[in-house]
Amino acid sequence: MTDIRADISYSDEKEARFSDYVALLKPRVMSLVVFTALVGLIVAPGALHPIEALAAIIFIALGGGASGALNMWWDADIDRVMKRTSGRPVPAGRVAAGEAMALGFALSGISVIMLWLATNALAGALLAFTIFFYAVIYTMWLKRATPQNIVIGGAAGAFPPMIGWVAVTGSISIEACLMFMLIFMWTPPHFWALALFMKSDYHKANVPMLTVTHGRKVTRAHILVYTVALIPFALAAGFTSIGGPAYLLLSLALNAVFLQGAWAIWRRTELQAEADGYAVEKRVFRFSLAYLFLHFGAFLAEAALSRLPAYAEFAASFKILELF
Amino acid sequence: MAITREHELHKRRSGRNVGLALVLVAFIVLVFGLTIAKVQSGASLQAYDHSYRPSLDPDNVRYPQR
């Protein structure tokens, strides 16, 4: 009798967990998509049934996740080189590139069709265009071709509030366009501020970031120019149906601080920046996140303020107020 | 060594299966909820149902059936 010993070793380090598939959808980007789409949906005139609204938000987020998965499939070679992205599921070897592609295409189809069925065809078409724009125009074409990649690619991130608005109204309006422009013009200064203190990563991956192709002095000037160009759109939104005095006041203050930060970045030399560890660039980058969050928060606040009389009337009709 | 021994690998796969199951259940619940919402807020739900009904014909709008 022979003693058979099968020495089977299986490296399960590379076996994907459920969380790896969630990571493919870029949950942090999705959270921004959910927030801005929700604002677009709430501030739009009219209302969806709560379940329709919930479905709209879920499928807009899923569409964003699908484009994230397609991005991770296509960019696995770049992600492998960059320190910040080398731990992602595809470059780390936990998820096969083909799996990421399949997940991306499947979720794209599901999210577009379901958003169309839950709301309307234009919202579904806009979501499809957003996924196409991010996956094909940005990821496959512009990202490796031009240092203006994030300027045009930023449009993909700017669509969600417009989709939220269209999901309710069925049409595109000036308010939806201004919300789009707010994110579109905000993206370049936000990312270039990041690129200034994360220089080595993009350089290693040969991604033509403006800092690599045109130098850091030009990038500093671009941050200032785009910040100046952003301000009219941010303020203009205050004069439409989604704005108001509270929004305008907050927007004025936020734009003043952002402009001051962009000015400070433009005035600095590399020596000064290196001396204090890019303190100003890091501060402006962090502030830019608050800038966008507070602008959209102000849209929400204005919507709540303008609807207060209607809510009070609604509550009074049920004699709820008599309790107080 | 028993062939049924639980390996860490099985736990991972089980986690993936449970995760996928929850996603599918959530999707079913959402589609069901959407259906109810659409039916509740829907327009006229009447249809011809295999036989011609003059009351539903747009040409008869000027002479509505009582």
Side-chain angles (χ1 to χ4, degrees):
Chain A
M1 201 165 136
T2 316
D3 186 18
I4 301 173
R5 189 158 172 266
D7 191 13
I8 301 168
S9 64
Y10 184 89
S11 169
D12 58 354
E13 284 301 305
K14 302 225 163 170
E15 179 93 9
R17 290 173 183 275
F18 185 72
S19 58
D20 288 320
Y21 293 99
V22 176
L24 281 179
L25 310 185
K26 300 194 177 183
R28 282 176 65 186
V29 177
M30 270 168 91
S31 63
L32 186 69
V33 168
V34 166
F35 174 64
T36 55
L38 187 66
V39 172
L41 197 136
I42 289 175
V43 302
L48 289 174
H49 186 287
I51 294 180
E52 288 175 343
L54 175 71
I57 292 298
I58 287 174
F59 293 121
I60 293 170
L62 204 61
S67 53
L70 291 171
N71 170 276
M72 288 218 200
W73 155 60
W74 192 263
D75 274 352
D77 57 333
I78 294 178
D79 288 350
R80 214 165 277 129
V81 180
M82 286 166 59
K83 199 176 104 193
R84 184 172 64 88
T85 53
S86 59
R88 285 178 174 174
V90 179
R94 294 193 301 277
V95 175
E99 268 189 292
M101 180 195 72
L103 187 72
F105 278 120
L107 291 184
S108 298
I110 290 170
S111 59
V112 168
I113 291 171
M114 288 306 297
L115 183 66
W116 171 24
L117 293 175
T119 60
N120 56 63
L122 183 59
L126 273 175
L127 182 65
F129 183 69
T130 306
I131 297 170
F132 169 79
F133 202 92
Y134 187 73
V136 178
I137 306 285
Y138 172 70
T139 302
M140 295 182 186
W141 180 28
L142 294 173
K143 187 172 176 180
R144 298 169 196 238
T146 164
Q148 296 294 318
N149 47 18
I150 53 166
V151 178
I152 305 157
F159 273 113
M162 182 183 268
I163 301 173
W165 178 282
V166 170
V168 178
T169 63
S171 61
I172 298 170
S173 66
I174 182 75
E175 290 89 348
C177 292
L178 285 171
M179 283 191 286
F180 173 92
M181 287 306 293
L182 185 60
I183 303 181
F184 182 69
M185 299 305 289
W186 163 89
T187 308
H190 168 75
F191 272 105
W192 282 328
L194 175 73
L196 278 176
F197 61 86
M198 295 267 287
K199 52 182 173 180
S200 57
D201 256 351
Y202 291 112
H203 185 67
K204 262 165 53 186
N206 279 329
V207 174
M209 279 302 275
L210 198 65
T211 44
V212 180
T213 57
H214 290 69
R216 311 169 72 72
K217 196 172 162 52
V218 174
T219 306
R220 289 172 186 281
H222 271 65
I223 289 175
L224 180 62
V225 169
Y226 275 90
T227 305
V228 170
L230 161 70
I231 294 170
F233 294 107
L235 294 179
F239 297 99
T240 64
S241 72
I242 55 173
Y247 170 87
L248 264 178
L249 271 176
L250 183 70
S251 182
L252 268 174
L254 290 171
N255 279 293
V257 176
F258 203 13
L259 184 62
Q260 186 268 331
W263 179 266
I265 285 181
W266 180 59
R267 290 292 303 262
R268 273 154 73 86
T269 62
E270 267 317 293
L271 280 177
Q272 285 172 312
E274 274 173 19
D276 65 6
Y278 292 91
V280 175
E281 290 78 1
K282 286 176 182 170
R283 179 173 61 79
V284 172
F285 174 73
R286 280 195 303 272
F287 176 78
S288 68
L289 284 167
Y291 174 94
L292 195 69
F293 181 79
L294 289 172
H295 266 96
F296 276 82
F299 288 140
L300 275 184
E302 286 288 355
L305 283 173
S306 67
R307 288 170 197 181
L308 265 183
Y311 290 145
E313 202 178 309
F314 180 73
S317 70
F318 284 95
K319 302 195 172 175
I320 290 171
L321 291 179
E322 282 178 15
L323 294 171
F324 300 101
Chain B
M1 188 177 90
I3 202 160
T4 52
R5 202 183 75 150
E6 181 79 358
H7 192 274
E8 208 273 336
L9 176 74
H10 296 115
K11 278 189 198 161
R12 273 184 203 216
R13 286 188 180 165
S14 156
R16 257 166 32 194
N17 295 342
V18 169
L20 185 60
L22 289 176
V23 167
L24 289 175
V25 168
F27 184 67
I28 291 164
V29 169
L30 187 62
V31 171
F32 179 72
L34 259 180
T35 310
I36 300 295
K38 291 281 183 195
V39 168
Q40 277 181 347
S41 62
S44 173
L45 293 169
Q46 298 182 71
Y48 285 114
D49 193 21
H50 307 297
S51 60
Y52 177 67
R53 288 171 62 190
S55 61
L56 295 180
D57 195 331
D59 291 342
N60 293 330
V61 167
R62 279 177 299 166
Y63 310 103
Q65 305 281 314
R66 288 183 185 261

